[in-house]
Amino acid sequence: MPVYGYCILHPDGPILVDTGVGFGNELIDQLYNPQRERLGDVLWRCGVEASEVVAVVNSHLHFDHCGQNPSLFGGPAAFLAQVAEYESVTTDRYYTDASWALAPERQRRAVRGDERLADGVTILATPGHTAGHQSVLVEAGDRRVVIGAQMVWDADELAAEVASSANVDPDPELRRAAVDSIRRIKALNPDVIHLSHCGAFAP
Ligand SMILES: [Zn+2]
């Protein structure tokens, strides 16, 4: 399955949403045999220097969404995840690879709910897949794009407005939250919704 990350070319500097699977975790390499590209190489092909990145929004902190965060540790980028995600990382040692998920404190920012990150770029809390899952709304001119990440597994779930067992734990609260998140994003009438594990979806 693919794991997509996104780069918003913003006048204030590039903003990333998710960074893919990282390097150096033997268990993850054995279990998944991931085919990776180095984040810096991918950015370079997009005309972006990694050192220019001003912010990394992690949709959530599972290993396949924050894995290459460390390549930007020590630089100027701020790392933004919801408070609930940081809590999951620190209370559940099987949640993710904490060395990928946790930026140095100087760079780490905990988000509570929605937050305007830059002109035309807004973080939206979309719990469901995880308690602290978040999406990003990008508004430019009359275009409205949502990077929905893993708020759903695929486009069918968006269309049917369901929380699938593939994407959301059986916890009834999370199931309800996932459906609310789908409805919330669709109500914004975006031109496109980009996902983590499935290509773009035009509602
Ligand atoms: Zn996940």
Side-chain angles (χ1 to χ4, degrees), residues 60 62 64-65 129-130 150:
H60 61 300
H62 283 161
D64 52 330
H65 298 261
H129 172 61
T130 64
Q150 204 173 339

Side-chain angles (χ1 to χ4, degrees), residues 9-192:
L9 299 173
H10 194 277
D12 293 348
I15 297 168
L16 306 188
V17 182
D18 289 344
T19 60
V21 180
F23 294 87
N25 183 308
E26 273 177 38
L27 181 63
I28 286 168
D29 286 354
Q30 276 170 19
L31 285 175
Y32 299 101
N33 187 27
Q35 310 300 301
R36 291 152 295 200
E37 290 191 79
R38 299 250 169 214
L39 178 62
D41 295 343
V42 178
L43 290 174
W44 181 257
R45 288 206 301 276
C46 299
V48 172
E49 290 245 30
S51 60
E52 297 169 345
V53 172
V54 293
V56 177
V57 179
N58 286 123
S59 63
H60 61 300
L61 292 172
H62 283 161
F63 74 91
D64 52 330
H65 298 261
C66 66
Q68 295 196 46
N69 282 13
S71 68
L72 302 175
F73 290 172
F79 290 83
L80 298 102
Q82 292 281 322
V83 171
E85 287 301 301
Y86 290 121
E87 280 171 4
S88 296
V89 175
T90 48
T91 57
D92 177 1
R93 62 186 290 247
Y94 298 108
Y95 190 73
T96 190
D97 182 322
S99 72
W100 297 348
L102 299 178
E105 268 182 47
R106 176 181 69 77
Q107 288 175 269
R108 204 186 308 164
R109 292 240 340 258
V111 181
R112 246 177 231 284
D114 300 349
E115 182 178 315
R116 185 122 175 129
L117 178 58
D119 195 25
V121 180
T122 308
I123 291 172
L124 301 174
T126 47
H129 172 61
T130 64
H133 188 281
Q134 58 187 5
S135 301
V136 178
L137 169 66
V138 182
E139 295 168 290
D142 55 4
R143 296 254 310 157
R144 194 171 251 210
V145 169
V146 170
I147 300 168
Q150 204 173 339
M151 58 171 286
V152 291
W153 183 260
D154 61 22
D156 292 344
E157 282 177 45
L158 269 177
E161 300 185 3
V162 295
S164 75
S165 49
N167 205 50
V168 183
D169 287 338
D171 178 283
E173 220 172 282
L174 282 180
R175 286 285 168 101
R176 260 195 307 277
V179 173
D180 288 348
S181 294
I182 291 169
R183 292 187 175 141
R184 179 179 190 210
I185 293 303
K186 285 172 78 172
L188 295 170
N189 278 323
D191 296 288
V192 182

